[in-house]
Amino acid sequence: EVQLVESGGGLVNPGGSLRLSCAASGFTFTSAWMDWVRRAPGKGLEWIGRIKSKAAGGTTDYASPVKGRFVISRDDSRNTLYLQINSLKIEDTAIYYCARLSVVATTVIWGQGTLVTVSS
Amino acid sequence: DVVMTQSPLSLPVTLGQPASISCRSSQSLIYSDGNTYLNWLQQRPGQSPRRLIYQVSNRDSGVPDRFSGSGSGTDFTLTISRVEAEDVGIYYCMQGSHWPPYTFGQGTKLEIK
């Protein structure tokens, strides 16, 4: 079964850090370009960033609001995607989804999401 | 960044009636290869998003044929021919022609009257 399962969310103080994980199964993770997307309470979807496959260079791209604070990485030996979130702000409170997004016929895959709450 | 603007933001619909959502982009979504990378997504309450339509008008596998997409350039529409109860949720357009970043519309909340 094709699946993405996120973990690592929780309650964090402002200024803190958190690492989210996303375990992939059922598809060839090593060749997938993977994304993180979030949805803050009462707001819409926001793309956070993407990591390309190692074969495509393994490079990352980020949305401007998170550049410099968020780091996406991958461990292909574990079929796992990561999102390191540093210097957390109240406005980072959201459900964080990992996804294999696509704008062509390739099947899109979404995880179930993990909730990050930033509060003192 | 490309700004995606949806309307309406709230859409009350009677069961069995049609519904339409508009999405406008701040610049043309025609990519250099001639294709237009405009997706429509659905997020039902308590669920993860799901893509319904890619490249303006292509339905994903398993998407009912009451959903259709149309448009070109900067103006796009998602149409539901006859709304069913399971269609309740938030609908987003998303562009992939000018990334990074991918950008989404604000979302349209469809509810049953």
Side-chain angles (χ1 to χ4, degrees):
Chain A
E1 181 191 3
V2 172
Q3 205 171 9
L4 293 170
V5 178
E6 300 95 335
S7 60
L11 176 62
V12 189
N13 290 326
S17 297
L18 206 57
R19 188 176 83 156
L20 307 182
S21 300
C22 171
S25 59
F27 66 99
T28 307
F29 180 76
T30 52
S31 61
W33 296 22
M34 298 298 298
D35 300 88
W36 286 96
V37 176
R38 67 183 177 182
R39 184 179 169 197
K43 298 203 172 180
L45 297 172
E46 179 185 23
W47 181 81
I48 294 170
R50 161 176 276 189
I51 186 166
K52 296 180 181 177
S53 64
K54 290 277 195 304
T59 56
T60 51
D61 293 287
Y62 299 94
S64 298
V66 306
K67 206 173 290 187
R69 291 194 303 123
F70 288 24
V71 179
I72 298 173
S73 61
R74 64 191 299 159
D75 183 340
D76 288 350
S77 68
R78 296 176 183 266
N79 282 357
T80 301
L81 176 72
Y82 300 101
L83 177 66
Q84 177 72 36
I85 313 175
N86 301 315
S87 304
L88 276 156
K89 305 176 181 181
I90 302 289
E91 54 264 37
D92 292 322
T93 295
I95 298 174
Y96 285 75
Y97 298 97
C98 67
R100 188 186 75 180
L101 297 180
S102 172
V103 292
V104 293
T106 306
T107 303
V108 172
I109 309 168
W110 289 83
Q112 86 287 353
T114 188
L115 177 62
V116 172
T117 303
V118 184
S119 175
S120 54
Chain B
D1 297 353
V2 176
V3 177
M4 306 296 288
T5 304
Q6 289 182 227
S7 63
L9 300 185
S10 177
L11 184 56
V13 185
T14 300
L15 285 173
Q17 293 300 302
S20 285
I21 300 169
S22 170
C23 175
R24 288 188 171 174
S25 56
S26 60
Q27 57 185 280
S28 173
L29 298 187
I30 301 174
Y31 190 57
S32 55
D33 63 3
N35 292 311
T36 300
Y37 297 108
L38 187 282
N39 290 352
W40 287 98
L41 292 81
Q42 174 197 60
Q43 187 168 27
R44 291 170 171 153
Q47 294 187 14
S48 301
R50 162 200 183 196
R51 192 178 69 178
L52 300 175
I53 303 281
Y54 63 94
Q55 287 182 251
V56 182
S57 59
N58 297 282
R59 269 190 306 276
D60 273 280
S61 176
V63 174
D65 60 8
R66 64 179 182 276
F67 289 93
S68 63
S70 62
S72 64
T74 61
D75 289 307
F76 305 93
T77 302
L78 176 70
T79 301
I80 308 173
S81 58
R82 294 173 306 280
V83 169
E84 297 189 6
E86 66 179 18
D87 299 336
V88 166
I90 302 176
Y91 291 80
Y92 299 91
C93 57
M94 182 196 108
Q95 70 82 24
S97 294
H98 302 284
W99 82 272
Y102 286 133
T103 49
F104 297 89
Q106 315 98 299
T108 294
K109 186 173 185 178
L110 185 149
E111 61 180 24
I112 305 300
K113 272 187 198 171

